[in-house]
């Protein structure tokens, strides 16, 4: 069976590009004309797109970290896993589009619904990849303890849950809704299991997080 | 002779970028102006470019997967293989252009002819790379069975065949033609040989696809 | 604990993309219209954005080199290091935006303040990563000598110091301020310790720089 | 001393991105408006930018191949080599700009002078890297035969020579000048030494090119 190395390298490439392309959504006036707005006013007008930029950046970063953690366990790949990984990449590389739209349509809750739905799609594709790979220890080492698998599942499921809540809140208050997305990486990284899930001899749980 | 590692890494980079740049073809209104269209109308107007985006994404993904499968067998490279690989990369990195054109010229069958021709060029360059490498086991291990080689050839040849058919259909019905391209990855991935072609000791064929 | 390989590969990807995307800030007239300006006038008008381009390019290159040097010592990673590395990547991938703004707002010292602040953020995130990793030899080999660590700290701290000075000078003379940023890579690379910090058995210091 | 692996990976990333970004120079009409020109006329108007695109693509591809060949010999790096490699990357990542200009200013020989000068800069930076690394076998294995080094030098020096000639010809006939750049990859790849320079036990010369 195929080893996952080249699949991970390709995924890293796509994610790294998607995360870096986000900056192109922050417009810059032409250097060949005198800018229409004063810089101070321009920067204030950019605060809003900037929040969306940071939000998408840290969310894509979190997906990458989850992918990293998932493939720490996966020892072999098959075509279904490759298709699920492809679906994940399709969702990730799509993120700059809803990020741009929610910056342009800043008072429209539909823009947040679209933005949040994209992140639900990203995280659900990752979750289905993880569930497919771990079901009956299909593509992971046989000695991974069930509680390690369950803990990962819970943490991956956090993203679609918060995104769904943020979509709901957007109908009440769009600004609060926007900030809710930032909770995803904070909650993910604050979890002690992020480190301990990475022990070489997985399933032990004796590893003490520093 | 040169080992193919760095050539594969470079190819992965180019393909990952080409596949991720596609999203830039989905336009976003300026965040510094009030958008001209309502978001709902804007998104409906984007459905068409979106289909082209997904289509090109999954096709490039399929080429990458085929390249992955091909270089699973290739054990050494020479300058002709490098030139053929370069031709493949030229075609792949060109894909965002016809993808954008078929979105702008949505009722023009010439746009589909151009789009389809690009995909024929991508797949023929990959096919010629494979045929060159395997002829007389030139650049592959000597114990690869002829039926494994033939099966790969058939599956790579599927893409130019379907693309040609889609071009023909575009003169009758452009919408049907567009959806035909989506059949390529589905047919490719549904083939049992996708997994079994990857057994470490190629040529066996005893490997059972799960 | 996790090995830093895939983290470095991902970082390399993001930095490589950010450094290459800078060129998109150099505008090109449409090939489908007759250009408004003569080429000679156009190129003269580009000299200014070009200086900003080169400046950001060599600065990002220097950050990459420092990251390279830092991870030469780091032997393991944890979630806090990953978060600090993520912060570094966020700052790096943001650089094209202030680079574009200082090209458009060329006589505005606020543009230089914003540009310099971004570079201070880039280098401080790198510095905090280094300090976190080396404190009590937390994530580096135990035999790295304190003077090697201190020397690295000094060299990384050079960037925020010069950037801060350049921001101050911008209120007196913007042009001088711009050129000051170019001193960062020159000073960094002219240091003998750049090479000797890379000896395999770090902490020796007997290595003679050629 | 530092091993060249991560430097090569970073270089591959930058080159892969620069080569793929070229396609963004081929403009696409907005998918949200009815295009101004008919597709047939649009494609004819794109033939000229397309030639520049292909030309820059195959030239960057050739530089990458030369870099690949150079680092096949280099066994260690120091800060001067890193600085020269950085200069090479700066030139490479700049290529999309003159490529765009020569497409917009198609009848202006200054555009060709600028385009050709960029390629001279790319190849001279590569040449200086090679000369620095091989002088007194500074950064290469001690058993590389002088004739292998000299042969590589000649082949790398081909690019600035042809570029200079093309610049000269541009004052007589711009179209002929454009096609001259395409001779660089053809001549480079047609050389038997491209393969034989890659024998694992370099310096032998007994290897027979297939």
């Amino acid at each position: 069976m195929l080893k996952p190395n080249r699949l991970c390298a390709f995924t890293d490439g796509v994610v790294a590009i998607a995360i870096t392309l986000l900056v192109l959504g922050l417009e810059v006036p032409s250097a060949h004309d005198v800018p229409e707005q004063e810089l101070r006013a321009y920067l204030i007008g950019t605060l809003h797109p900037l929040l969306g930029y940071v939000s998408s950046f840290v969310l894509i970063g979190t997906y990458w970290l989850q992918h990293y953690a998932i493939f720490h366990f996966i020892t072999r790949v098959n075509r279904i896993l490759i298709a699920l990984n492809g679906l994940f990449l399709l969702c990730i590389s799509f993120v700059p589009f809803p990020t741009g739209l929610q910056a342009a349509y800043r008072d429209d809750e539909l823009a947040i619904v679209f933005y949040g739905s994209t992140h639900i799609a990203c995280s659900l594709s990752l979750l289905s990849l993880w569930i497919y790979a771990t079901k009956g220890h299909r593509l992971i080492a046989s000695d991974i303890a069930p509680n390690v698998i369950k803990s990962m599942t819970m943490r991956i499921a956090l993203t679609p849950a918060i995104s769904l809540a943020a979509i709901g809140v957007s109908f009440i208050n769009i600004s609060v809704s926007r900030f809710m997305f930032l909770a995803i990486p904070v909650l993910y990284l604050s979890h002690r299991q992020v480190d301990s899930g990475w022990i070489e001899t997985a399933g032990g749980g004796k590893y003490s997080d520093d």
Side-chain angles (χ1 to χ4, degrees), chain A:
Chain A
M1 259 185 178
L2 206 57
K3 295 252 175 68
N5 304 24
R6 204 177 156 190
L7 189 68
C8 282
F10 183 69
T11 303
D12 283 4
V14 171
V15 175
I17 298 151
I19 211 170
T20 320
L21 280 185
L22 288 169
V23 78
L24 298 183
L26 302 174
E27 295 156 79
V28 168
S30 167
H32 284 270
D33 302 316
V34 177
E36 283 178 36
Q37 275 184 300
E38 244 189 289
L39 180 55
R40 192 176 298 268
Y42 194 85
L43 284 176
I44 291 167
T46 303
L47 277 182
H48 183 81
L50 197 61
L51 175 61
Y53 165 74
V54 172
S55 197
S56 287
F57 191 99
V58 295
L59 278 170
I60 295 183
T62 306
Y63 300 136
W64 178 79
L65 199 49
Q66 293 180 336
H67 191 274
Y68 191 179
I70 287 173
F71 276 80
H72 183 67
F73 293 109
I74 289 179
T75 51
R76 48 196 185 275
V77 303
N78 65 11
R79 65 192 153 128
I80 296 176
L81 193 86
I82 285 174
L84 289 171
N85 197 71
L87 185 65
F88 168 64
L89 294 181
L90 177 61
C91 295
I92 289 287
S93 69
F94 184 66
V95 168
F97 182 61
T99 304
L101 284 185
Q102 64 86 32
Y105 292 93
R106 61 187 72 184
D107 305 318
D108 196 334
E109 61 270 7
L110 180 57
I112 295 288
V113 173
F114 190 53
Y115 182 81
S117 303
T118 304
H119 284 298
I120 291 175
C122 287
S123 43
L124 285 187
S125 67
L126 206 52
L127 189 62
S128 60
L129 189 153
W130 173 246
I131 289 172
Y132 176 77
T134 54
K135 186 130 192 242
H137 290 72
R138 194 185 266 127
L139 300 170
I140 60 172
S142 55
D143 61 347
I144 312 286
N147 67 313
V148 171
I149 295 173
K150 203 182 157 191
S151 156
M152 277 282 283
T153 310
M154 288 306 191
R155 275 176 291 136
I156 299 171
L158 197 73
T159 309
I162 297 179
S163 299
L164 197 62
I167 287 176
V169 168
S170 76
F171 291 96
I172 304 163
N173 188 320
I174 290 187
S175 300
V176 172
S177 165
R178 274 184 224 291
F179 279 99
M180 284 179 70
F181 290 102
L182 289 173
I184 295 170
V186 172
L187 283 174
Y188 182 75
L189 274 174
S190 64
H191 202 298
R192 285 174 68 96
Q193 293 282 350
V194 172
D195 280 358
S196 62
W198 287 337
I199 30 168
E200 287 303 314
T201 54
K206 285 169 208 152
Y207 170 81
S208 156
D209 191 13
D210 84 313

